[in-house]
Amino acid sequence: MALAGSVALPVQAADAVTTSMEEISAQPKAKDAHYFTPRDLSKIPDGAFGDKIRRGYQLFVNTQQLKGRYLGNQLNCTNCHLDAGTKAYAAPMWAAYLAYPAFRKKDNRVNNFAERIQGCFNYSMNGKAPELGSPELVAMSAYSYWLLMGGLLDMYGMQDKPVPELSDAELQRGGRDESFVLPGPLADRVKMEGRERMPGRAFAALPAPPQAYSPQRGQQVYTEHCAICHGEQGEGRRMADVPVIPALWGGESYNWGAGMHRVNTAATFIYENMPLGKSVQLNVQQAWDVAAYMNSRERPQDPRFKGDVASTAKDFHASDQGYYGQTLDGAVLGSRAYPAGVQP
Ligand code: HEC
Ligand code: HEC
């Protein structure tokens, strides 16, 4: 598969970015909870509908095939939404699908599922999202829908029942809608109330750190537990020019508008999922400290940037737990943000 790494992204006006990353509150984790299991990928059906689902999976795990067109960094969706978007507490797609459409106070309107994906293209992938109705958004929505619906059918004893086919418009809408098709007994089981709270959705709540988090202490944690994979400069790792370990900061990482730039969101993700393979379990303090270190390094500019960091910080970062616009070691973070696609 050819990687179009050198193709420049279309320049994006600040007002063209309509969706943004709304903070999803982390859920307390039940110790022995049994989480939802999606249907095995080998069960994706043959035919046109199955092809759409397979295409969505393929885009999710190798999003780099869209580099330069819709995304500007070296990440793939699965780098954060682990195990191809199936892992509980790594913002799994099955739980997300059932949570949209959702009303967002921020822009005072309802966002459907595909619009939420657009948010991750604009911020997490530092790109310019595909249009609603595009084959890419339809395919990724179809994949997410299939993960959810296949798992629900299995859960209620309908292992042999195929996942009902939906139109492209229905696929992009999401499952939190009266019109969402729920076959057989599912109609009584999957109540509207609570669809946005499937156990395992988003991230597991993490207690506050015993001491205020510190980038300095975080640097030590980073050197000891992260640099071996993610690199001394957070640059990640490539093999045969294919990114194999994602960048954590610098020009090839998520931008200053992404959900992961918040220290609290990153801390919960890291505590639960890193170091990959969990050779060690970081303690709560270490997770917060290393998240603070990682998120106090420069990264691509917030696409809502209006020409100066102070007003962008005031408009979009006033209440988030991030470093954008703050002064650290004599430098204002965001003032030396990378333009899209520039290597660290
Ligand atoms: C750098 C990490 C990262 C990458 C890469 C990423 N995301 Fe996300 N995504 C997040 C975070 C963090 C959230 C939760 C946002 C929040 O709480 O602010 C999220 C939320 C979502 C949600 C909503 C989840 C829910 O439960 O409401 C969807 C859908 C989604 N992402 C899809 C995608 C897709 C599709 C891609 C690839 C095109 C992608 N993401 C790439 C970090 C990432
Ligand atoms: C054994 C190698 C390894 C170690 C050690 C490791 N990671 Fe990762 N990390 C990965 C890989 C690989 C991914 C992508 C996972 C995937 O695609 O399934 C990842 C993903 C991430 C992500 C989300 C993607 C992104 O670029 O933002 C963050 C954040 C992260 N790691 C932080 C850390 C931190 C902090 C540490 C140290 C506490 C750490 N990692 C240790 C291999 C590692």
Side-chain angles (χ1 to χ4, degrees):
M1 195 150 307
L3 294 176
S6 57
V7 179
L9 280 170
V11 176
Q12 185 165 210
D15 62 3
V17 184
T18 48
T19 28
S20 57
M21 303 287 277
E22 181 98 326
E23 183 164 354
I24 306 159
S25 47
Q27 300 186 58
K29 187 181 176 185
K31 260 282 163 268
D32 46 2
H34 175 74
Y35 296 106
F36 182 82
T37 317
R39 212 169 251 189
D40 191 85
L41 296 186
S42 64
K43 306 262 173 58
I44 298 175
D46 290 334
F49 190 61
D51 289 345
K52 233 175 244 183
I53 299 163
R54 262 184 294 275
R55 176 84 181 125
Y57 164 78
Q58 214 223 354
L59 288 166
F60 201 88
V61 297
N62 176 13
T63 326
Q64 286 299 304
Q65 63 194 289
L66 304 176
K67 180 144 188 188
R69 235 174 113 205
Y70 298 123
L71 60 100
N73 61 22
Q74 66 165 224
L75 301 189
N76 294 303
C77 309
T78 192
N79 292 158
C80 297
H81 303 279
L82 299 178
D83 298 347
T86 65
K87 189 172 183 215
Y89 294 127
M93 289 303 113
W94 39 264
Y97 194 82
L98 199 59
Y100 294 84
F103 182 77
R104 292 182 60 249
K105 273 181 265 153
K106 211 166 185 171
D107 52 13
N108 209 28
R109 65 185 190 92
V110 172
N111 279 200
N112 66 26
F113 184 73
E115 287 173 298
R116 185 61 190 79
I117 293 181
Q118 288 183 313
C120 269
F121 268 103
N122 292 336
Y123 299 96
S124 298
M125 312 300 283
N126 192 33
K128 188 179 184 309
E131 300 276 313
L132 290 178
S134 61
E136 290 82 7
L137 287 190
V138 170
M140 291 173 126
S141 302
Y143 171 60
S144 306
Y145 160 69
W146 184 84
L147 289 176
L148 171 72
M149 186 55 80
L152 283 176
L153 291 170
D154 290 359
M155 198 166 144
Y156 290 105
M158 293 176 278
Q159 284 85 351
D160 297 332
K161 194 167 170 55
V163 168
E165 295 190 14
L166 300 183
S167 70
D168 290 359
E170 288 165 333
L171 285 171
Q172 292 177 95
R173 189 177 299 142
R176 194 157 167 255
D177 192 88
E178 296 293 352
S179 69
F180 186 55
V181 178
L182 288 161
L186 290 185
D188 299 325
R189 303 292 175 87
V190 185
K191 302 258 187 284
M192 187 59 77
E193 164 75 27
R195 284 193 194 174
E196 74 288 7
R197 288 193 306 272
M198 261 180 106
R201 185 181 171 208
F203 303 100
L206 184 68
Q211 308 172 53
Y213 55 75
S214 140
Q216 285 77 19
R217 279 197 311 267
Q219 182 166 20
Q220 285 167 25
V221 179
Y222 187 81
T223 305
E224 206 170 321
H225 296 294
C226 321
I228 187 164
C229 289
H230 289 284
E232 291 298 332
Q233 298 304 318
E235 72 278 17
R237 199 178 291 250
R238 305 174 80 92
M239 275 173 75
D241 213 32
V242 175
V244 288
I245 299 194
L248 300 185
W249 65 88
E252 288 287 339
S253 186
Y254 53 88
N255 69 37
W256 277 114
M260 192 65 88
H261 104 282
R262 293 188 307 259
V263 178
N264 53 330
T265 301
T268 64
F269 174 86
I270 292 166
Y271 182 83
E272 188 72 24
N273 301 301
M274 289 293 140
L276 195 75
K278 295 300 277 287
S279 48
V280 294
Q281 174 62 59
L282 300 183
N283 65 35
V284 171
Q285 186 70 51
Q286 287 173 315
W288 283 93
D289 289 345
V290 77
Y293 175 65
M294 167 178 103
N295 281 337
S296 60
R297 310 294 100 192
E298 271 297 8
R299 54 184 61 264
Q301 187 54 268
D302 189 323
R304 298 161 298 188
F305 188 63
K306 291 177 173 162
D308 76 289
V309 172
S311 66
T312 310
K314 184 166 165 279
D315 287 356
F316 301 110
H317 296 271
S319 56
D320 73 28
Q321 261 188 77
Y323 280 97
Y324 188 83
Q326 294 196 29
T327 305
L328 199 79
D329 303 328
V332 177
L333 283 157
S335 61
R336 281 185 286 179
Y338 293 89
V342 172
Q343 291 283 356

